[in-house]
Structures are given as C-alpha cells and as structure tokens.
Amino acid sequence: MHRLSNLSILFLTCCICIRCTKPENGSEIPKIELIGVSKTEMTQGDLNQDSLWLQFRFEDGDGDLGYGSGDSRKDIRVIDGRTGNIQDEYKIPDLIPSDKETQKGVLTILIFTSCCLFKDNIPPCSNPPQYPKDSLDFIINLIDKAGHISNDLHSGKIYLNCK
C-alpha cells in the first residue's frame, strides 16, 4: 500500500504543469475546477482493490501553493461525500517559485475505492444481496500555505459495486 502511495505521488509529480503569470484577479484563495474522472464505477474494497484517476485545474492568485518536500503537511484533501470524512490526503509536488504571482496548473490524483455503506447496521464492505450498489461523491479541496481552503470540487456520482 505504501508503494502505491509513492507511485501516486510520482505520477502526480510527473503530471503537474505549472504556469506563473502576473496576477489576474489576485485572489488569495485557491480555485479548482474538474477536468474529468477516468471512470464512474468501482468495486468496493478497503485495501485499494480498485481506483480511478481524477484530474483538475488549479489557480492561486498569490502563488503560495505547495508546502514543499521538506514539510510533512498535505495540501490536497479527498473527502467521502457520504460521511464528510477525509478519505485520503496528498502532497502537491514542489512548485516553481512564483514570487507571489498567480500559479496555474493541472493535477492528476489516484483515488482508491471505498467500502459500500449500508442501512440497518450492516457492516461496511459486506455484500448483502439487498444492496448490490452504493454511490458516493468525492469532494476535493486544496489548502495553501496561508491556510486558505479552495472551493470544493465534486467528482460527480461514483457507483460502487458491493458484490
């Protein structure tokens, strides 16, 4: 599992495209916008049995995204929309210093599956025949060095096969 996290970070590093420009709107709060997801259906699991890629654009007017590799803090949060709990966190790779100019780019993250959740006190990740599917919406946001939290980006409905 740790190896997969390292691969995710490596892929994230390889996929980032940064462009620094003069501030257009000067917003110190990061903005993110969904580009797309690789699929809308996964098999449930609690040990990374399935995954999808999610790609989004980002922009930060004051250029203070990314804590840097020397800092252990994470800057990307993935939240399970069913529960409001953080499902995973990622670290933005080192960015080109922006000198307080707008940072723009594209990030791609690997999001692993989750368990189906059921009513009637049925344990998560089980496969009761009366509940063959579940769905969720991943909510993603960024946090910059000043602690500003971006808008919430919604993945759209992702279906989980509970079998």
Coordinates of all heavy atoms in Angstrom, one line a residue, residues 8-91:
S8 N 1.6 7.0 -6.6 CA 0.7 8.1 -6.8 C 1.4 9.5 -6.8 O 1.1 10.3 -7.6 CB -0.4 8.1 -5.8 OG -1.1 6.9 -5.9
I9 N 2.3 9.6 -5.8 CA 3.0 10.9 -5.7 C 3.9 11.1 -6.9 O 4.0 12.2 -7.5 CB 3.8 10.9 -4.4 CG1 2.8 11.0 -3.2 CG2 4.7 12.1 -4.3 CD1 3.4 10.8 -1.9
L10 N 4.6 10.0 -7.4 CA 5.4 10.1 -8.5 C 4.6 10.5 -9.7 O 5.0 11.4 -10.5 CB 6.1 8.8 -8.8 CG 7.0 8.7 -10.0 CD1 8.1 9.8 -9.9 CD2 7.6 7.3 -10.2
F11 N 3.4 9.9 -9.9 CA 2.6 10.2 -11.1 C 2.1 11.7 -11.0 O 2.1 12.4 -11.9 CB 1.4 9.3 -11.2 CG 0.6 9.5 -12.4 CD1 1.0 9.0 -13.6 CD2 -0.5 10.3 -12.4 CE1 0.3 9.2 -14.8 CE2 -1.3 10.6 -13.5 CZ -0.9 10.0 -14.7
L12 N 1.7 12.1 -9.8 CA 1.3 13.4 -9.5 C 2.4 14.4 -9.9 O 2.1 15.4 -10.6 CB 0.9 13.6 -8.1 CG 0.3 14.9 -7.6 CD1 -1.1 15.1 -8.3 CD2 0.1 14.9 -6.1
T13 N 3.6 14.1 -9.5 CA 4.7 14.9 -9.8 C 5.0 15.0 -11.3 O 5.2 16.1 -11.9 CB 6.0 14.4 -9.2 OG1 5.8 14.3 -7.8 CG2 7.2 15.3 -9.5
C14 N 4.8 13.9 -12.0 CA 5.0 13.9 -13.5 C 3.9 14.6 -14.2 O 4.2 15.1 -15.3 CB 5.1 12.5 -14.0 SG 6.6 11.6 -13.4
C15 N 2.7 14.7 -13.7 CA 1.6 15.2 -14.4 C 1.4 16.7 -14.2 O 0.5 17.3 -14.8 CB 0.3 14.5 -14.0 SG 0.3 12.8 -14.7
I16 N 2.1 17.3 -13.2 CA 1.8 18.7 -12.9 C 2.4 19.6 -14.0 O 3.5 19.4 -14.5 CB 2.4 19.0 -11.5 CG1 1.8 20.4 -11.1 CG2 3.9 19.0 -11.5 CD1 1.9 20.6 -9.6
C17 N 1.6 20.5 -14.3 CA 2.0 21.6 -15.3 C 1.8 22.9 -14.7 O 0.7 23.2 -14.3 CB 1.2 21.5 -16.6 SG 1.3 19.9 -17.4
I18 N 2.8 23.7 -14.5 CA 2.7 24.9 -13.8 C 3.0 26.1 -14.8 O 3.9 26.0 -15.6 CB 3.7 25.0 -12.6 CG1 3.6 23.8 -11.7 CG2 3.7 26.3 -11.9 CD1 2.3 23.8 -11.0
R19 N 2.2 27.1 -14.6 CA 2.5 28.3 -15.4 C 2.3 29.5 -14.4 O 1.2 29.7 -13.9 CB 1.5 28.4 -16.5 CG 1.8 29.6 -17.4 CD 0.8 29.7 -18.6 NE -0.4 30.3 -18.1 CZ -1.6 30.0 -18.6 NH1 -1.8 29.0 -19.4 NH2 -2.7 30.6 -18.1
C20 N 3.3 30.3 -14.3 CA 3.2 31.5 -13.4 C 3.0 32.7 -14.3 O 3.7 32.9 -15.3 CB 4.5 31.7 -12.6 SG 4.7 30.4 -11.4
T21 N 2.0 33.5 -13.9 CA 1.7 34.7 -14.7 C 1.5 35.9 -13.7 O 1.4 35.7 -12.5 CB 0.4 34.5 -15.5 OG1 -0.6 34.2 -14.6 CG2 0.6 33.4 -16.5
K22 N 1.4 37.0 -14.2 CA 1.0 38.2 -13.4 C -0.4 38.0 -12.8 O -1.2 37.4 -13.5 CB 1.0 39.5 -14.2 CG 2.4 39.9 -14.7 CD 3.2 40.4 -13.6 CE 4.6 40.8 -14.1 NZ 5.6 40.8 -13.1
P23 N -0.6 38.3 -11.6 CA -1.9 38.1 -11.0 C -3.0 38.8 -11.9 O -2.9 39.9 -12.2 CB -1.8 38.8 -9.6 CG -0.4 38.9 -9.3 CD 0.3 39.0 -10.7
E24 N -4.0 38.0 -12.2 CA -5.1 38.5 -13.0 C -6.2 39.0 -12.1 O -6.7 40.1 -12.2 CB -5.7 37.4 -13.9 CG -4.6 37.0 -15.0 CD -5.0 35.7 -15.7 OE1 -6.0 35.1 -15.4 OE2 -4.2 35.3 -16.5
N25 N -6.6 38.2 -11.1 CA -7.6 38.6 -10.2 C -7.1 38.8 -8.8 O -7.8 39.3 -7.9 CB -8.8 37.6 -10.2 CG -8.4 36.2 -9.8 OD1 -7.3 36.0 -9.3 ND2 -9.3 35.3 -9.9
G26 N -5.9 38.3 -8.5 CA -5.2 38.5 -7.2 C -5.9 37.8 -6.1 O -5.6 38.0 -4.9
S27 N -6.8 36.8 -6.4 CA -7.4 36.1 -5.3 C -6.4 35.2 -4.5 O -5.7 34.4 -5.1 CB -8.6 35.2 -5.8 OG -9.1 34.4 -4.8
E28 N -6.4 35.4 -3.2 CA -5.5 34.6 -2.4 C -6.1 33.3 -2.1 O -5.4 32.4 -1.5 CB -5.2 35.4 -1.1 CG -6.3 35.7 -0.3 CD -6.0 36.6 0.9 OE1 -5.0 37.4 0.8 OE2 -6.8 36.6 1.9
I29 N -7.3 33.0 -2.4 CA -8.0 31.8 -2.1 C -7.9 30.9 -3.4 O -8.3 31.3 -4.5 CB -9.4 31.9 -1.7 CG1 -9.5 32.8 -0.5 CG2 -10.1 30.6 -1.6 CD1 -10.9 33.2 -0.1
P30 N -7.3 29.7 -3.3 CA -7.1 28.9 -4.5 C -8.5 28.5 -5.1 O -9.5 28.3 -4.4 CB -6.4 27.6 -3.9 CG -5.9 28.0 -2.6 CD -6.7 29.1 -2.1
K31 N -8.5 28.3 -6.4 CA -9.7 27.8 -7.1 C -9.3 26.5 -7.8 O -8.2 26.4 -8.4 CB -10.1 28.9 -8.1 CG -10.7 30.1 -7.5 CD -11.2 31.0 -8.6 CE -10.1 31.7 -9.3 NZ -10.4 32.7 -10.3
I32 N -10.2 25.6 -7.8 CA -10.0 24.4 -8.6 C -11.2 24.1 -9.4 O -12.4 24.5 -9.1 CB -9.7 23.2 -7.6 CG1 -10.7 22.9 -6.6 CG2 -8.3 23.4 -7.0 CD1 -10.4 21.8 -5.6
E33 N -11.0 23.3 -10.5 CA -12.1 23.0 -11.5 C -11.8 21.6 -12.0 O -10.7 21.3 -12.5 CB -12.1 24.1 -12.6 CG -13.0 23.8 -13.7 CD -12.9 24.8 -14.9 OE1 -12.1 25.7 -14.8 OE2 -13.6 24.6 -15.9
L34 N -12.9 20.8 -12.0 CA -12.8 19.4 -12.5 C -12.5 19.4 -14.0 O -13.2 20.1 -14.8 CB -14.1 18.7 -12.2 CG -14.1 17.2 -12.6 CD1 -13.1 16.4 -11.8 CD2 -15.5 16.7 -12.4
I35 N -11.6 18.6 -14.4 CA -11.4 18.3 -15.8 C -12.1 17.0 -16.1 O -12.8 16.9 -17.1 CB -9.9 18.2 -16.2 CG1 -9.2 19.6 -16.0 CG2 -9.7 17.7 -17.6 CD1 -7.7 19.5 -16.2
G36 N -11.9 16.0 -15.3 CA -12.6 14.7 -15.5 C -12.1 13.6 -14.6 O -11.1 13.7 -13.9
V37 N -12.9 12.5 -14.6 CA -12.5 11.3 -13.9 C -12.4 10.2 -14.9 O -13.1 10.2 -16.0 CB -13.5 10.9 -12.8 CG1 -13.6 12.0 -11.7 CG2 -14.9 10.7 -13.4
S38 N -11.5 9.2 -14.6 CA -11.3 8.1 -15.6 C -12.4 7.1 -15.7 O -12.6 6.4 -16.7 CB -10.0 7.4 -15.2 OG -10.1 6.8 -13.9
K39 N -13.2 7.0 -14.6 CA -14.4 6.1 -14.6 C -15.4 6.5 -13.5 O -15.0 7.2 -12.6 CB -14.0 4.6 -14.5 CG -13.2 4.3 -13.2 CD -12.7 2.8 -13.3 CE -12.0 2.4 -12.1 NZ -11.6 1.0 -12.1
T40 N -16.6 6.0 -13.7 CA -17.6 6.4 -12.7 C -18.1 5.2 -12.0 O -19.2 5.3 -11.3 CB -18.8 7.1 -13.4 OG1 -19.3 6.2 -14.4 CG2 -18.3 8.4 -14.0
E41 N -17.5 4.0 -12.1 CA -17.9 2.9 -11.3 C -16.6 2.1 -10.8 O -15.7 2.0 -11.6 CB -18.7 1.9 -12.2 CG -19.4 0.8 -11.5 CD -20.4 0.1 -12.4 OE1 -21.1 0.8 -13.1 OE2 -20.5 -1.1 -12.3
M42 N -16.7 1.7 -9.6 CA -15.6 0.9 -9.0 C -16.2 -0.2 -8.2 O -17.3 -0.2 -7.8 CB -14.7 1.8 -8.1 CG -14.0 2.9 -8.7 SD -12.7 3.7 -7.7 CE -13.7 4.6 -6.5
T43 N -15.3 -1.2 -7.9 CA -15.7 -2.3 -7.0 C -15.3 -1.9 -5.6 O -14.2 -1.4 -5.4 CB -15.0 -3.6 -7.4 OG1 -15.4 -3.9 -8.7 CG2 -15.3 -4.7 -6.5
Q44 N -16.2 -2.1 -4.6 CA -15.9 -1.7 -3.2 C -14.6 -2.4 -2.7 O -14.3 -3.5 -3.2 CB -17.1 -1.9 -2.3 CG -17.2 -3.4 -2.0 CD -18.1 -3.6 -0.7 OE1 -18.3 -2.6 0.1 NE2 -18.7 -4.7 -0.6
G45 N -14.0 -1.9 -1.7 CA -12.9 -2.5 -1.1 C -12.3 -1.6 0.0 O -12.4 -0.4 -0.1
D46 N -11.6 -2.3 0.9 CA -10.9 -1.5 1.9 C -9.4 -1.6 1.8 O -8.7 -1.0 2.7 CB -11.4 -1.9 3.3 CG -11.2 -3.4 3.6 OD1 -10.7 -4.1 2.7 OD2 -11.5 -3.8 4.7
L47 N -8.9 -2.3 0.8 CA -7.4 -2.4 0.7 C -7.0 -2.0 -0.7 O -6.2 -2.7 -1.4 CB -7.0 -3.8 1.0 CG -7.1 -4.2 2.5 CD1 -6.8 -5.7 2.7 CD2 -6.2 -3.4 3.4
N48 N -7.5 -1.0 -1.3 CA -7.1 -0.4 -2.6 C -7.3 -1.4 -3.7 O -6.5 -1.5 -4.6 CB -5.6 0.0 -2.5 CG -5.3 1.0 -1.4 OD1 -6.2 1.7 -1.0 ND2 -4.1 1.1 -0.9
Q49 N -8.4 -2.1 -3.7 CA -8.7 -3.1 -4.8 C -9.0 -2.4 -6.1 O -8.8 -3.0 -7.1 CB -9.8 -4.0 -4.4 CG -9.5 -5.0 -3.3 CD -9.8 -4.5 -1.9 OE1 -9.9 -3.3 -1.7 NE2 -9.9 -5.4 -1.0
D50 N -9.5 -1.2 -6.1 CA -9.9 -0.5 -7.3 C -9.5 0.9 -7.1 O -9.3 1.4 -6.0 CB -11.4 -0.7 -7.6 CG -11.7 -0.5 -9.0 OD1 -10.9 -0.2 -9.9 OD2 -12.9 -0.8 -9.4
S51 N -9.5 1.7 -8.2 CA -9.1 3.1 -8.2 C -9.6 3.8 -9.4 O -10.0 3.2 -10.4 CB -7.6 3.3 -8.0 OG -7.0 2.7 -9.2
L52 N -9.5 5.1 -9.4 CA -9.8 6.0 -10.5 C -8.9 7.1 -10.5 O -8.3 7.5 -9.5 CB -11.3 6.4 -10.6 CG -11.8 7.3 -9.4 CD1 -11.4 8.7 -9.5 CD2 -13.3 7.1 -9.4
W53 N -8.7 7.7 -11.7 CA -7.9 9.0 -11.8 C -8.8 10.1 -11.8 O -9.8 10.1 -12.6 CB -7.0 8.9 -13.0 CG -5.9 7.9 -13.0 CD1 -6.0 6.7 -13.6 CD2 -4.7 8.0 -12.3 NE1 -4.8 6.0 -13.4 CE2 -4.0 6.8 -12.6 CE3 -4.1 8.9 -11.6 CZ2 -2.7 6.5 -12.1 CZ3 -2.8 8.7 -11.1 CH2 -2.2 7.5 -11.3
L54 N -8.5 11.2 -11.1 CA -9.3 12.4 -11.1 C -8.3 13.6 -11.5 O -7.2 13.7 -10.9 CB -9.9 12.7 -9.8 CG -10.8 13.9 -9.7 CD1 -12.0 13.6 -8.9 CD2 -10.1 15.1 -9.2
Q55 N -8.7 14.4 -12.5 CA -7.8 15.4 -13.0 C -8.5 16.8 -12.8 O -9.7 16.9 -13.1 CB -7.4 15.2 -14.4 CG -6.4 16.2 -14.9 CD -5.9 15.8 -16.3 OE1 -6.7 15.7 -17.3 NE2 -4.6 15.6 -16.5
F56 N -7.8 17.8 -12.3 CA -8.4 19.1 -12.1 C -7.4 20.2 -12.4 O -6.2 20.0 -12.3 CB -9.0 19.2 -10.8 CG -8.0 19.1 -9.6 CD1 -7.4 20.2 -9.0 CD2 -7.7 17.8 -9.1 CE1 -6.6 20.0 -7.9 CE2 -6.9 17.6 -8.0 CZ -6.3 18.8 -7.5
R57 N -7.9 21.4 -12.7 CA -7.1 22.6 -12.9 C -7.1 23.3 -11.5 O -8.0 23.3 -10.7 CB -7.8 23.6 -13.9 CG -7.7 23.1 -15.3 CD -8.4 24.2 -16.2 NE -8.5 23.6 -17.5 CZ -9.6 22.9 -17.9 NH1 -10.6 22.7 -17.1 NH2 -9.6 22.4 -19.1
F58 N -6.0 24.0 -11.3 CA -5.9 24.9 -10.1 C -5.4 26.2 -10.4 O -4.7 26.4 -11.4 CB -5.0 24.2 -9.0 CG -3.6 24.1 -9.3 CD1 -2.7 25.2 -9.0 CD2 -3.1 23.0 -9.9 CE1 -1.4 25.1 -9.3 CE2 -1.7 23.0 -10.3 CZ -0.9 24.0 -10.0
E59 N -5.7 27.2 -9.6 CA -5.2 28.6 -9.7 C -5.1 29.2 -8.4 O -6.1 29.1 -7.6 CB -6.1 29.4 -10.7 CG -5.6 30.8 -10.9 CD -6.5 31.6 -11.8 OE1 -7.0 31.0 -12.8 OE2 -6.6 32.8 -11.6
D60 N -4.0 29.8 -8.1 CA -3.9 30.5 -6.8 C -3.3 31.9 -7.1 O -2.1 32.0 -7.6 CB -3.0 29.7 -5.9 CG -2.9 30.4 -4.5 OD1 -4.0 30.8 -4.0 OD2 -1.8 30.5 -3.9
G61 N -4.0 33.0 -6.8 CA -3.6 34.3 -7.2 C -2.4 34.9 -6.5 O -1.7 35.7 -7.1
D62 N -2.1 34.4 -5.3 CA -1.0 35.0 -4.6 C 0.2 34.0 -4.6 O 1.2 34.2 -4.0 CB -1.3 35.4 -3.2 CG -1.8 34.3 -2.3 OD1 -2.0 33.2 -2.7 OD2 -2.0 34.6 -1.1
G63 N 0.1 32.9 -5.3 CA 1.2 32.0 -5.6 C 1.8 31.3 -4.4 O 3.0 31.0 -4.4
D64 N 1.0 30.9 -3.4 CA 1.5 30.3 -2.2 C 1.0 28.8 -2.0 O 0.8 28.3 -0.9 CB 1.3 31.1 -0.9 CG -0.2 31.2 -0.5 OD1 -1.0 30.9 -1.4 OD2 -0.4 31.5 0.6
L65 N 0.9 28.1 -3.2 CA 0.5 26.7 -3.1 C 1.7 25.8 -2.9 O 2.8 26.1 -3.4 CB -0.2 26.3 -4.4 CG -1.7 26.6 -4.5 CD1 -2.2 26.1 -5.9 CD2 -2.5 25.9 -3.4
G66 N 1.6 24.7 -2.2 CA 2.6 23.7 -2.1 C 3.5 24.0 -0.9 O 4.3 25.0 -0.9
Y67 N 3.5 23.2 0.1 CA 4.3 23.3 1.3 C 5.8 23.0 1.0 O 6.7 23.4 1.7 CB 3.8 22.5 2.4 CG 2.5 22.9 3.0 CD1 1.4 22.0 2.9 CD2 2.3 24.1 3.6 CE1 0.2 22.4 3.4 CE2 1.1 24.5 4.2 CZ 0.0 23.6 4.0 OH -1.2 24.0 4.6
G68 N 6.0 22.2 0.0 CA 7.4 21.8 -0.4 C 7.7 20.5 0.2 O 7.1 20.0 1.2
S69 N 8.7 19.8 -0.4 CA 9.1 18.5 0.0 C 9.7 18.4 1.4 O 9.7 17.3 2.0 CB 10.0 17.8 -1.0 OG 11.2 18.6 -1.1
G70 N 10.2 19.5 2.0 CA 10.7 19.5 3.3 C 9.7 19.6 4.4 O 10.0 19.6 5.6
D71 N 8.4 19.7 4.1 CA 7.3 19.8 5.0 C 6.4 18.6 4.9 O 6.1 18.2 3.8 CB 6.6 21.1 4.7 CG 5.7 21.6 5.8 OD1 4.9 20.8 6.3 OD2 5.7 22.8 6.1
S72 N 6.0 18.1 6.0 CA 5.2 16.9 6.0 C 3.7 17.2 5.8 O 2.9 16.3 5.6 CB 5.4 16.1 7.3 OG 4.9 16.9 8.4
R73 N 3.3 18.5 5.8 CA 1.8 18.8 5.7 C 1.4 18.4 4.3 O 2.1 18.5 3.3 CB 1.6 20.2 6.0 CG 1.8 20.6 7.4 CD 1.6 22.1 7.7 NE 2.7 22.8 7.1 CZ 2.8 24.1 7.1 NH1 1.8 24.8 7.7 NH2 3.9 24.7 6.6
K74 N 0.1 18.0 4.2 CA -0.5 17.6 2.9 C -1.4 18.8 2.5 O -1.9 19.6 3.3 CB -1.4 16.4 3.1 CG -0.8 15.2 3.8 CD 0.2 14.5 2.8 CE 0.9 13.4 3.5 NZ 0.5 12.1 3.1
D75 N -1.5 19.0 1.2 CA -2.2 20.2 0.6 C -3.5 19.8 -0.1 O -4.2 20.7 -0.5 CB -1.4 21.0 -0.3 CG 0.1 20.6 -0.4 OD1 0.4 19.6 -0.9 OD2 0.9 21.5 0.0
I76 N -3.7 18.6 -0.4 CA -4.9 18.1 -1.2 C -5.7 17.2 -0.3 O -5.1 16.2 0.2 CB -4.5 17.4 -2.5 CG1 -3.7 18.3 -3.3 CG2 -5.8 17.0 -3.2 CD1 -3.1 17.6 -4.6
R77 N -7.0 17.4 -0.1 CA -7.8 16.5 0.7 C -8.9 15.9 -0.2 O -9.5 16.6 -1.0 CB -8.5 17.3 1.8 CG -7.6 17.7 2.9 CD -8.3 18.3 4.1 NE -9.1 19.5 3.6 CZ -9.5 20.4 4.5 NH1 -9.2 20.3 5.8 NH2 -10.1 21.5 4.0
V78 N -9.1 14.6 0.0 CA -10.2 13.9 -0.7 C -11.2 13.5 0.4 O -10.8 12.7 1.3 CB -9.7 12.7 -1.5 CG1 -10.8 11.9 -2.1 CG2 -8.7 13.1 -2.6
I79 N -12.4 13.9 0.3 CA -13.4 13.7 1.3 C -14.5 12.8 0.7 O -14.9 13.0 -0.4 CB -14.0 15.0 1.8 CG1 -12.9 15.9 2.4 CG2 -15.1 14.8 2.8 CD1 -13.2 17.4 2.5
D80 N -14.9 11.8 1.5 CA -16.1 11.0 1.1 C -17.3 11.8 1.4 O -17.6 12.1 2.6 CB -16.0 9.7 2.0 CG -17.1 8.7 1.6 OD1 -18.2 9.1 1.2 OD2 -16.9 7.5 1.8
G81 N -18.0 12.1 0.4 CA -19.2 13.0 0.5 C -20.4 12.3 1.3 O -21.2 13.0 1.8
R82 N -20.3 11.0 1.5 CA -21.4 10.3 2.2 C -21.2 10.6 3.7 O -22.2 10.7 4.4 CB -21.4 8.8 2.0 CG -21.6 8.4 0.6 CD -21.3 6.9 0.4 NE -19.9 6.6 0.8 CZ -19.4 5.4 0.8 NH1 -20.2 4.3 0.5 NH2 -18.1 5.2 1.0
T83 N -20.0 10.7 4.2 CA -19.7 10.8 5.6 C -19.1 12.2 6.0 O -19.2 12.5 7.2 CB -18.7 9.7 6.0 OG1 -17.5 9.9 5.4 CG2 -19.3 8.3 5.7
G84 N -18.5 12.8 5.0 CA -17.8 14.1 5.4 C -16.4 13.8 5.9 O -15.7 14.8 6.3
N85 N -16.0 12.6 6.0 CA -14.7 12.2 6.5 C -13.6 12.3 5.4 O -13.9 12.0 4.2 CB -14.7 10.8 7.1 CG -15.6 10.7 8.3 OD1 -15.7 11.7 9.1 ND2 -16.1 9.5 8.5
I86 N -12.4 12.6 5.8 CA -11.3 12.6 4.9 C -11.0 11.2 4.5 O -10.7 10.4 5.4 CB -10.0 13.4 5.5 CG1 -10.4 14.8 5.7 CG2 -8.8 13.2 4.6 CD1 -9.3 15.6 6.4
Q87 N -11.0 10.9 3.2 CA -10.6 9.5 2.8 C -9.1 9.4 2.5 O -8.5 8.4 2.8 CB -11.4 9.2 1.5 CG -11.0 7.8 1.0 CD -11.9 7.3 -0.1 OE1 -13.1 7.4 0.0 NE2 -11.3 6.6 -1.1
D88 N -8.5 10.5 2.0 CA -7.1 10.5 1.7 C -6.6 11.9 1.6 O -7.4 12.8 1.4 CB -6.9 9.7 0.3 CG -5.5 9.0 0.3 OD1 -4.6 9.3 1.1 OD2 -5.3 8.2 -0.6
E89 N -5.3 12.0 1.7 CA -4.6 13.3 1.6 C -3.4 13.2 0.7 O -2.8 12.1 0.7 CB -4.2 13.9 2.9 CG -5.4 14.2 3.8 CD -5.0 14.8 5.1 OE1 -4.3 14.0 5.9 OE2 -5.3 15.9 5.4
Y90 N -3.1 14.2 -0.1 CA -2.0 14.2 -1.0 C -1.1 15.4 -0.8 O -1.6 16.4 -0.2 CB -2.4 14.1 -2.4 CG -3.3 12.9 -2.8 CD1 -4.6 12.9 -2.6 CD2 -2.7 11.8 -3.3 CE1 -5.4 11.8 -2.9 CE2 -3.5 10.7 -3.6 CZ -4.8 10.7 -3.4 OH -5.6 9.6 -3.7
K91 N 0.1 15.3 -1.3 CA 1.0 16.5 -1.2 C 1.3 17.0 -2.6 O 1.6 16.2 -3.5 CB 2.3 16.0 -0.6 CG 3.3 17.1 -0.2 CD 4.3 16.5 0.7 CE 5.2 17.6 1.2 NZ 4.6 18.7 1.8

